[in-house]
Amino acid sequence: MKKTILVLSLFLFACSQEIPLTAVPFMPPITPPTDASLPTPSAIAEILPTTEVFAPAAALPTGPVTLVALGDSLTQGDGDDSGRGYPGRLLEMIGTVRTDSEMTNLGRSGWSSDALINGDQGLLGQLSRAVSELDAARSQGRGAVALVWIGSNDLWYLYEYGEGSDENDALDAERFSANMDLIISQLRKTGAQVVIALLDDQTKRPVALKGEAFPSITSDELARMSAQVELYNQIITEKADQYGALTVDFYSSDLFTDPDTLYDDGNHPNSAGYDIIAQKWFEVLQSLLN
């Protein structure tokens, strides 16, 4: 029964254009590459996870850095009145040590790891666009970094539109693991460094506790979701080790439970929250920037 409202619910999410950022806030958007120059979603999806051995994360070459942020509403910046989200703030921080650095924010509200790979709502997947931009940066000798924060909507949709069970949870973990294999391996193959976010336990967010945004999720399924996010984070940590990526920890943070850092919807950070989020990304990136 939950599945019957999936299509209608997905139309509620925003689909704004990705925002290329520069070290000076609120610059006019940079024209993105044409679709003809990008790998197609099917071409990306058909690539099998590589058996190649990747070197550990290493310092970036000197000079400006090209960054690409991939993810969902937390990357797009929902809840931030300034419209910068964490990518805009992070770029300002990086600009203090690497002038003329650039960032493209590909984050899309409502997107899961499946959508990040394959696209959704008639839009190309973020992975193909990120690979294109990172390849271009590396071909110019620039340092390149991909920032990945994905998985929250995978969890919401698993229990809102499906039925929580041991079998479904196990199948979902296999799906998420395969997606992370593909995402991280393809980003690392460009020669870019990759930083991946560990997810918060969203069952502790006010929006989950009040049952406002996802009313079909039962109390038993909330308990399952809390266990599933731990499994997701285990997968993320293992894949980061496998592919020589770094992680930034939001699981141990109280950002999504502290009223001072939450937007009114009880689900997304507010401007103060995004300040902290950008700082946490920057602290991890410093080892690559020095």
Side-chain angles (χ1 to χ4, degrees):
M1 181 175 180
K2 292 180 179 180
K3 295 180 180 178
T4 61
I5 59 174
L6 172 57
V7 174
L8 178 60
S9 299
L10 291 178
F11 278 111
L12 299 177
F13 293 104
C15 301
S16 62
Q17 293 293 323
E18 63 268 12
I19 307 171
L21 302 169
T22 68
V24 181
F26 306 113
M27 291 289 287
I30 300 170
T31 301
T34 62
D35 292 350
S37 67
L38 301 172
T40 64
S42 59
I44 288 290
E46 290 173 1
I47 300 173
L48 294 176
T50 181
T51 57
E52 180 181 351
V53 176
F54 289 88
L60 295 164
T62 58
V65 179
T66 293
L67 302 102
V68 181
L70 304 87
D72 51 34
S73 57
L74 300 177
T75 298
Q76 182 169 303
D78 287 16
D80 178 25
D81 293 334
S82 76
R84 293 178 298 153
Y86 89 77
R89 290 168 168 79
L90 178 59
L91 181 61
E92 293 173 8
M93 296 176 183
I94 292 173
T96 63
V97 294
R98 297 290 188 102
T99 57
D100 298 321
S101 292
E102 300 174 348
M103 182 180 298
T104 299
N105 183 356
L106 298 176
R108 295 272 182 191
S109 182
W111 279 30
S112 65
S113 62
D114 292 329
L116 188 151
I117 294 169
N118 299 311
D120 195 13
Q121 300 159 321
L123 301 171
L124 279 176
Q126 297 173 37
L127 182 56
S128 61
R129 300 188 70 84
V131 165
S132 179
E133 294 203 20
L134 296 169
D135 274 336
R138 296 296 296 132
S139 69
Q140 298 166 11
R142 293 171 65 103
V145 181
L147 312 171
V148 183
W149 194 359
I150 199 71
S152 290
N153 291 315
D154 296 66
L155 290 165
W156 290 128
Y157 300 158
L158 172 63
Y159 298 105
E160 175 71 3
Y161 306 119
E163 301 293 337
S165 69
D166 292 346
E167 180 182 6
N168 288 344
D169 291 354
L171 290 172
D172 174 70
E174 291 178 8
R175 177 199 60 84
F176 185 73
S177 180
N179 284 353
M180 295 309 295
D181 262 321
L182 183 60
I183 292 166
I184 304 171
S185 66
Q186 295 309 302
L187 294 172
R188 286 290 279 136
K189 275 188 171 183
T190 66
Q193 300 298 317
V194 176
V195 185
I196 318 159
L198 297 176
L199 308 173
D200 71 288
D201 184 350
Q202 57 212 53
T203 67
K204 297 178 181 179
R205 298 182 193 178
V207 71
L209 296 175
K210 296 177 182 179
E212 294 173 343
F214 300 94
S216 295
I217 299 178
T218 67
S219 58
D220 174 69
E221 287 173 331
L222 282 177
R224 286 184 172 277
M225 185 188 294
S226 185
Q228 194 77 348
V229 74
E230 291 188 28
L231 184 53
Y232 272 31
N233 283 337
Q234 179 182 333
I235 291 167
I236 291 169
T237 301
E238 291 173 353
K239 300 305 179 185
D241 290 342
Q242 178 180 350
Y243 294 108
L246 301 175
T247 59
V248 56
D249 182 11
F250 293 107
Y251 184 76
S252 303
S253 171
D254 63 355
L255 279 162
F256 295 94
T257 58
D258 184 350
D260 291 336
T261 54
L262 271 180
Y263 190 62
D264 293 343
D265 64 2
N267 192 30
H268 297 96
N270 58 19
S271 294
Y274 281 112
D275 287 343
I276 297 172
I277 289 169
Q279 182 63 40
K280 290 177 75 67
W281 283 99
F282 185 66
E283 289 171 359
V284 173
L285 283 169
Q286 282 182 314
S287 64
L288 303 177
L289 296 169
N290 294 333

